[in-house]
Amino acid sequence: EDPALIRWAYAKSQNVYPTFRPTPTTSFLGAAYALGPLLFWFFVLKADRDRKEKRIQEGKYERPFSVFF
């Protein structure tokens, strides 16, 4: 048995997170992947709702009857 090979196999399979170092780049990427889609959909849905509300107030849009909303 080769001790170096055993250490390498352990480091490759079991010891992943202790070698991770948080840096500004990884922190920014983590925040972007976590908050980016939420903020994107928030602004898209809010813009659509505001546009529809403006058309309703101007009288150019009649709300369709819907049982579900």
Side-chain angles (χ1 to χ4, degrees):
E1 292 187 13
D2 185 9
L5 184 61
I6 293 172
R7 281 195 308 269
W8 180 83
Y10 172 75
K12 192 76 173 157
S13 64
Q14 299 293 323
N15 197 19
V16 177
Y17 293 109
T19 59
F20 172 76
R21 294 183 182 188
T23 62
T25 303
T26 57
S27 299
F28 173 73
L29 288 175
Y33 281 112
L35 298 177
L38 293 175
L39 292 174
F40 171 77
W41 285 114
F42 171 77
F43 286 117
V44 166
L45 294 174
K46 178 149 178 40
D48 182 55
R49 186 183 313 145
D50 291 344
R51 183 179 52 82
K52 192 181 291 186
E53 181 66 27
K54 183 180 177 186
R55 290 181 66 203
I56 290 171
Q57 289 178 355
E58 292 174 351
K60 296 180 181 177
Y61 181 82
E62 291 187 23
R63 289 182 238 186
F65 177 74
S66 177
V67 176
F68 297 109
F69 37 118

